[in-house]
Every structure is written in C-alpha cells, then in structure tokens.
Amino acid sequence: MALIVQKYGGTSVGDPTRIRAVAERVAATRREGNDVIVVVSAMAGETNRLLELAGNVAERPDARETDVLLATGEQVSVALLAMALQDMGVRAQSFLGHQIRISTDSVFGRARIKSIDADAMLQVVRGGAVAVVAGFQGVDEDANITTLGRGGSDTSAVAVAAAVKADVCEIYTDVAGVYTSDPRICPSARKLARIAYDEMLELASLGAKVLQIRSVEFAKRYGVPVHVRTSFSDEPGTWVVQEESSMEDVLVTGVAHDLNEAKITLLHVPDRPGLAAKILSPIADAHIVVDMIIQNASEDGFTDLTFTVPRTDYQKALGMVKEVAAEIGARGVTSDTSIAKVSVVGLGMRSHAGVAARMFQVLAQEGINIQMISTSEIKVSAVIDAKYAELAVRVLHQALIEEGVQEGAA
Ligand code: ADP
Ligand code: ASP
Ligand code: MG
C-alpha cells in the first residue's frame, strides 16, 4: 500500500463531468489499496475570470484582497470533488489552506510555503477517507489568506507530498508528461520518460509552465518523486527524479520559451562602483525578480545597463528606474515589452562544448537577432523579438534535439 498525492490541474476539473472523472480515478486508486490525498486547482479559466473581475472594480486591486478573491477558485473545486467522491461511496473531506496550516510568508500573490501541518490530512487518510486539499493557497502568520503565484497548485501538491512523506506526487495535467518542448507549439516534441530535477528546474524557470518552479525546488529538496501525466488516459507520463549518470549523455533535453518578461535599459550611466546596486536594490526591495542583466563595455566613463523583469512587474520597475535614472544622471531609459526568451537545457552541456554556438547559428540562419544572452552550466538563453518566439523554438528543437549537436562544433 502506498500513500499517493494526486494533483489535478484546471482542465482536469474544468466541468462537472471532468470532476466526476477525477473522482473515478481517485476511487480507483483507493480500490487498488492506496491512501490518497488529492490537491486541486480552480476550474479551468476561473483564476483568470476572478482577476478580470478584480480589474473591473478597481484600477489597482489591493494585493491582500486579490488573494482573498483568487483563493475562492480552489475552494469551489475541493468542495465539488469531495461531493463527487462521496456520491460514489468514497469518504472524503475537503481542506482549505488555513485548515491544514499551509503557512506562508506574507508576499501576497507569490507567497512561499514555510511549513504544513500534516496531522489533519493523515488522520483523515488513516481513517480510510480521501483528503481533498485546495491548491494555490496558504495563510500567513497574521491569518491572512495568501496565494502562491500562477501555477501554484503544483507547489501545494509537492509540498503536501513532502509533508506527509508520500511515496509519489502525481501531477495530472492536459498533456501526457514533460516534453522536449511545449507540444502545443512544437508538434515534433517528444515525451520524456525521465528528467532530472535540475533540468526540470531550468525548464520551469525558463517558461515551461507544465510545473511551477517552486514545486520542483521542493521535490528536489525533499526527494519527492514526481510523476507528470495526463488525467485523460492511463499512459505513463514523465518521472522527475534524481539525476542518473546516463542523463549526461544527452546534450539538449528541452527547449523552452518565455513571453512574460520585459526589458529595461538605462542609457549612458556614469560607470562608478555601486551604481548597479543603486539601480537594482529598490527593485529587489519591491520583490521584483530581475532575470538577465547586461552592462555594455564603457569607453568614456559611461555605460548602458539592460535587464529584464517579469512583465507583470514591468510598469512598477520602470517607474522606479526612471526615478533612479534622474538621480544618477543617466541620459534616459528605454524599454521593450515585446521580447521573448528562448532557452535550451541539458545536463550534457556541462561536459560538452558547442551548444551555444550551434544555437546562435540556427537563430542567425533564420535572421533572428539576439538581444541578450545568458548561460549557466546546463542552459543557454537568448532574448529575441517576441514575434519570432515560436519559430525559434521549432528551429532550435529541430536542430538541437531532432538532429543533435556535433560535439565540439563551434
Ligand atoms: P494545469 O492546469 O494542469 O496546471 P498548465 O497549463 O499549468 O496545466 O501546464 C500544462 C501546459 O504546459 C501544457 O498544456 C503545455 O502547453 C505547457 N508546456 C510548456 N512546456 C511544456 C513541456 N516542455 N512539456 C509539457 N508541457 C509543456
Ligand atoms: N488556479 C491557479 C492558477 O490558475 C493555480 C493553479 O492552477 O495551479 O494559476
Ligand atoms: Mg499549472
């Protein structure tokens, strides 16, 4: 007998028929003799609908109240799934975030989980019932409702799995697993049987929204085996696991893209120690995550500083940068929201050269200009014009995954 955490995303609980199908699957897992804790997202489209409602009553909806509103989406799903299970003769009890003390910090809209009280869930499960837990939500130390950022139910599920020491965390979604690229954009993408935590971390942080990045961090830290699969069939999906030695043999495991960043440039900044810190500190203090940063070579004691931020934080960051720019005597500030970041990821890059060079060649052959570059041990990213994003993904997938990279090519 195993203890299994199953997470169902928005599409899987998108309407009453699907909710009943999820209940059937949960019931079948119980019949096989397993204990089950289910984590659910809001019904497909619901979180967006709620955000739109907020935008209709206020120009800048308050962050705390936004979380109170958004958390209702998952409250609906847990209640409906628990009812559907009960209707099939399966005992079930729903839990909201605060009822199992999913404690988080107080950063509304992107809170981080600090701890979870496993006792209540385990008591229900040991008593022979299914615990149905609301994803995406938590509670801070002042009892405020918080949410974990878009896609946050993945993180709720893996954190719950870690807290109850589950044997596996199954993430049921609308594709059959983790693919070599987003299958909706790249029809030739292949499903991976296994992927290492570190590769999945990179893919998730580079735009592959199949798993929220924090969920992969939790999985890696607590060694939770994660199985990403579809709720529409029984086919096995992708296991996200500890690195295995054969994984380094593959140079490029995946291609990802991200359209959710914007670029800000400060022009002609006096090149003095401490200036980058002066420009970027207020942004960090506002919890805005700066991603890529480049500083152009300075010849005459001046330099240009360019960096990217999430598009949702762009207006705020731009306002801050304009203030600092005036203070430090920069010539001006320019910005661009129609950018895309395309990235290739693979453990094999650690020990093989040539991937970056091949990537740039492939983009050049399509006439795609590279605006910024960043690399880590196992990834290369390039910022390009957003209108070429899908083309870039497809040609990179073709050249680096389907055809493979020649070692040492440069
Ligand atoms: P859920 O609502 O189940 O959480 P999401 O929409 O958050 O589902 O995540 C699943 C989506 O992630 C897929 O529909 C797919 O378009 C997208 N995706 C992006 N990159 C990948 C990838 N490499 N492999 C699989 N899916 C991906
Ligand atoms: N409902 C939330 C969202 O749409 C959380 C999730 O689905 O994971 O982002
Ligand atoms: Mg998701």
Side-chain angles (χ1 to χ4, degrees):
M1 184 201 271
L3 173 55
I4 300 179
V5 172
Q6 299 187 329
K7 178 259 174 175
Y8 292 91
T11 317
S12 307
V13 294
D15 60 40
T17 312
R18 287 187 167 168
I19 292 176
R20 286 191 66 85
V22 165
E24 292 282 6
R25 185 179 282 276
V26 174
T29 314
R30 283 277 313 138
R31 279 197 300 275
E32 286 159 15
N34 304 296
D35 284 335
V36 189
I37 297 173
V38 189
V39 177
V40 282
S41 293
M43 294 165 81
E46 179 63 7
T47 308
N48 287 340
R49 188 186 73 88
L50 293 167
L51 278 172
E52 206 178 302
L53 267 179
N56 289 339
V57 297
E59 200 178 323
R60 284 198 187 169
D62 176 71
R64 178 187 184 277
E65 304 312 328
T66 301
D67 278 2
V68 173
L69 178 71
L70 293 188
T72 63
E74 273 70 14
Q75 178 163 350
V76 170
S77 313
V78 282
L80 291 176
L81 181 58
M83 288 171 193
L85 282 164
Q86 290 159 1
D87 191 61
M88 287 170 194
V90 178
R91 285 195 293 123
Q93 184 180 327
S94 66
F95 290 101
L96 298 180
H98 69 88
Q99 293 173 312
I100 49 169
R101 279 203 289 277
I102 301 190
S103 359
T104 70
D105 61 23
S106 304
V107 185
F108 297 114
R110 65 181 82 159
R112 293 168 80 95
I113 296 178
K114 296 202 275 198
S115 65
I116 299 183
D117 183 358
D119 289 349
M121 285 181 286
L122 286 173
Q123 217 174 331
V124 163
V125 164
R126 287 194 193 114
V130 173
V132 184
V133 175
F136 184 51
Q137 55 179 263
V139 61
D140 75 0
E141 56 186 22
D142 299 318
N144 295 302
I145 293 175
T146 55
T147 66
L148 310 179
R150 298 310 302 268
S153 298
D154 298 330
T155 302
S156 310
V158 178
V160 163
V164 301
K165 302 193 170 51
D167 296 288
V168 56
C169 180
E170 298 181 333
I171 305 280
Y172 286 91
T173 182
D174 55 2
V175 289
V178 179
Y179 284 68
T180 48
S181 186
D182 186 341
R184 295 184 196 287
I185 286 180
C186 186
S188 54
R190 285 183 291 105
K191 184 173 73 184
L192 296 159
R194 299 168 87 71
I195 184 168
Y197 291 129
D198 285 336
E199 287 174 318
M200 193 63 237
L201 270 177
E202 289 284 8
L203 283 179
S205 74
L206 296 169
K209 71 164 183 168
V210 60
L211 287 177
Q212 198 198 35
I213 179 166
R214 289 279 294 146
S215 72
V216 191
E217 287 169 8
F218 266 103
K220 183 181 176 192
R221 183 171 341 138
Y222 297 101
V224 181
V226 173
H227 186 188
V228 182
R229 53 192 307 197
T230 172
S231 58
F232 302 122
S233 82
D234 283 330
E235 71 174 290
T238 304
W239 285 88
V240 188
V241 291
Q242 215 71 258
E243 184 177 334
E244 295 153 7
S245 55
S246 62
M247 286 173 167
E248 274 216 16
D249 297 345
V250 181
L251 232 54
V252 178
T253 305
V255 179
H257 76 292
D258 189 348
L259 290 165
N260 294 311
E261 290 192 10
K263 189 175 83 170
I264 298 177
T265 302
L266 275 101
L267 299 166
H268 210 64
V269 180
D271 195 5
R272 294 198 298 269
L275 268 175
K278 190 166 174 62
I279 294 163
L280 297 172
S281 298
I283 294 176
D285 291 345
H287 299 284
I288 296 173
V289 179
V290 171
D291 180 23
M292 288 185 173
I293 304 174
I294 51 171
Q295 187 177 337
N296 292 357
S298 131
E299 279 171 14
D300 50 357
F302 291 89
T303 174
D304 292 346
L305 183 82
T306 304
F307 59 92
T308 62
V309 292
R311 209 174 286 183
T312 42
D313 295 322
Y314 158 74
Q315 287 296 352
K316 197 169 170 188
L318 187 62
M320 292 173 153
V321 169
K322 282 186 172 158
E323 266 178 39
V324 182
E327 240 177 80
I328 61 178
R331 184 174 291 161
V333 178
T334 62
S335 60
D336 186 356
T337 53
S338 55
I339 59 163
K341 183 170 65 173
V342 288
S343 310
V344 300
V345 173
L347 288 178
M349 282 186 215
R350 271 187 207 142
S351 45
H352 296 266
V355 174
R358 183 78 187 111
M359 176 179 182
F360 303 152
Q361 266 170 16
V362 170
L363 293 175
Q365 274 158 14
E366 298 296 326
I368 300 173
N369 187 40
I370 298 171
Q371 303 172 14
M372 299 172 87
I373 295 168
S374 81
T375 63
S376 80
E377 232 190 347
I378 63 164
K379 73 115 199 270
V380 185
S381 301
V383 168
I384 61 172
D385 188 330
K387 68 176 182 244
Y388 297 123
E390 296 195 3
L391 171 67
V393 168
R394 284 194 285 265
V395 293
L396 289 172
H397 189 273
Q398 162 94 38
L400 298 180
I401 294 185
E402 290 162 62
E403 290 163 15
V405 190
Q406 298 305 309
E407 188 179 335

